[in-house]
Amino acid sequence: MTYPLPAPRPQVGQPIRDLSTPLPLIDETKLEANIARVQSYMDGHGIAFRPHIKTHKIPAIAARQVATGAKGINCQKITEAEVFADAGFEDLLITFNILGSEKHKRLVDLNTRISGLKVVADSEITVRGLSCAFSQSRPLTVLVECDTGGGRCGVQSPEAAIALAEMIAAAPGLTFGGILTYPKAGSEDAVEAFFAATIAGLSARGIPCPIVSNGGTPSLFSAHKVTTATEHRAGTYVYNDRAMARSGHCSLDDCAMHILATVVSRPTPDRAILDAGSKALTSDLLGFSDYGMIVDYPEAVISGLSEEHGTVDLSKVSGRRPEIGDKVRIIPNHTCVVSNLFDIMTFHRDGFVTRVEEVAARGLVW
């Protein structure tokens, strides 16, 4: 016998209550509704929609998003983009500054394979590196990333965006493709002001700005307020999670991902231990004081995580409390990280397994 033995793989038609845990589950009906709901909104407002695959990392889901009307996809790293290029996707936007000769070589190779590759830059250093790498190959489309208040990457003013756009437009091997932001939620006025000023400055210099890309799931249904934007990017919406429900983007019933876990110990009347720790639920709090919501016991509190154990405070649970051997479903605080913790994702409808998909871009973070 060869060790270690592989984990049991869920079978189509199997009841989810019989599955080994811990295991993430995706409700097909909720998944389909989430995709349709957002695409309908974008279509209704005439905004191109570019889903971010970092939430699911699964080509089959991206294919469903595109079939429903999405325009291309958004990746975060080159390795993710390579997986989706292998799966037949052509219109790929990588929203991360790409530096270093090893990454540049792979980016050049990727750009020869697909017709619609685009990347971002927010500094002269990034632009010079890209230009050097692409000066003797097929030109690469580059967007200027703008910090409109999100406090992450991005140039700090419309004037800086215009200057970097001019540099890209003049750089050998590069084509200026537009501007992009990942804003903080609820900042549509600030985004619009930054975009409008940048576009006006570019126009005055005779520089076209074909793509104006806004982003984020929490502010997704306010995307129409940024009237200069030509497209919107979002990822978490496809599954949704506890943080998205708190933000008002969705309800808890719209959360397509649950983590199935088993109660493995009841050391005291007020404490339960789950077989789902930080390797299944993630340690992300995102402003919560606990690590997920147990669907059937909403008053229970997942108060702590170690690697393999989840500690649940049952002191506020009235009525029946979960016993050893019981299985529970948990809505995670942050669904995107969960996708990167498992090799497979199990889909179900009405409690029976419908398919099992490999998380093809799992662990591809460079």
Side-chain angles (χ1 to χ4, degrees), residues 106-115 117 134 137-138:
R106 294 180 76 143
L107 195 64
V108 169
D109 292 343
L110 182 60
N111 196 47
T112 63
R113 294 169 50 198
I114 62 174
S115 60
L117 181 63
F134 282 83
S137 64
R138 179 180 177 178

Side-chain angles (χ1 to χ4, degrees), residues 201-252:
L202 291 171
S203 178
R205 290 161 176 78
I207 301 175
C209 187
I211 300 172
V212 181
S213 184
N214 193 17
T217 293
S219 55
L220 192 156
F221 290 107
S222 299
H224 63 281
K225 296 180 181 179
V226 183
T227 57
T228 52
T230 62
E231 71 172 29
H232 194 92
R233 312 176 322 279
T236 311
Y237 85 96
V238 73
Y239 290 160
N240 287 318
D241 54 27
R242 198 176 176 210
M244 290 301 103
R246 180 187 57 192
S247 74
H249 164 76
C250 66
S251 72
L252 290 172

Side-chain angles (χ1 to χ4, degrees), residues 53 56-60 79-80 82-84 86-87 339-340 342-345 357-364:
I53 60 83
H56 55 74
K57 292 176 171 277
I58 298 173
T79 46
E80 286 182 334
E82 289 170 337
V83 167
F84 282 81
D86 287 344
S339 290
N340 202 49
F342 290 89
D343 291 329
I344 60 171
M345 202 62 60
E357 298 282 358
E358 304 290 334
V359 184
R362 183 198 174 192
L364 301 181

Side-chain angles (χ1 to χ4, degrees), residues 60-279:
I61 295 181
R64 179 60 183 266
Q65 291 170 310
V66 170
T68 306
K71 175 194 176 184
I73 58 174
N74 180 186
C75 301
Q76 198 71 348
K77 300 294 180 68
I78 295 174
T79 46
E80 286 182 334
E82 289 170 337
V83 167
F84 282 81
D86 287 344
F89 293 87
E90 291 279 340
D91 188 347
L92 305 181
L93 169 64
I94 303 175
T95 48
F96 207 88
N97 282 306
I98 298 172
L99 301 165
S101 59
E102 171 62 27
K103 290 185 174 66
H104 287 157
K105 181 180 183 302
R106 294 180 76 143
L107 195 64
V108 169
D109 292 343
L110 182 60
N111 196 47
T112 63
R113 294 169 50 198
I114 62 174
S115 60
L117 181 63
K118 293 168 280 290
V119 302
V120 300
D122 71 352
S123 73
E124 292 186 10
I125 293 172
T126 304
V127 172
R128 284 198 296 268
L130 292 171
S131 178
C132 182
F134 282 83
S135 61
Q136 301 300 318
S137 64
R138 179 180 177 178
L140 175 69
T141 299
V142 183
L143 283 68
V144 173
E145 183 167 6
C146 306
D147 179 6
T148 59
R152 202 158 68 180
C153 296
V155 296
Q156 297 297 297
S157 68
E159 293 75 22
I162 294 164
L164 197 61
E166 289 182 302
M167 181 180 180
I168 294 168
L174 305 183
T175 300
F176 174 64
I179 56 178
L180 171 147
T181 191
Y182 184 79
K184 65 180 180 180
S187 62
E188 290 80 21
D189 289 345
V191 174
E192 178 61 23
F194 196 116
F195 276 175
T198 303
I199 293 167
L202 291 171
S203 178
R205 290 161 176 78
I207 301 175
C209 187
I211 300 172
V212 181
S213 184
N214 193 17
T217 293
S219 55
L220 192 156
F221 290 107
S222 299
H224 63 281
K225 296 180 181 179
V226 183
T227 57
T228 52
T230 62
E231 71 172 29
H232 194 92
R233 312 176 322 279
T236 311
Y237 85 96
V238 73
Y239 290 160
N240 287 318
D241 54 27
R242 198 176 176 210
M244 290 301 103
R246 180 187 57 192
S247 74
H249 164 76
C250 66
S251 72
L252 290 172
D253 286 341
D254 296 318
C255 293
M257 175 187 278
H258 289 167
I259 311 302
L260 189 67
T262 301
V263 177
V264 295
S265 179
R266 283 291 311 277
T268 74
D270 289 341
R271 185 165 81 242
I273 304 297
L274 305 176
D275 62 355
S278 61
K279 291 179 178 177

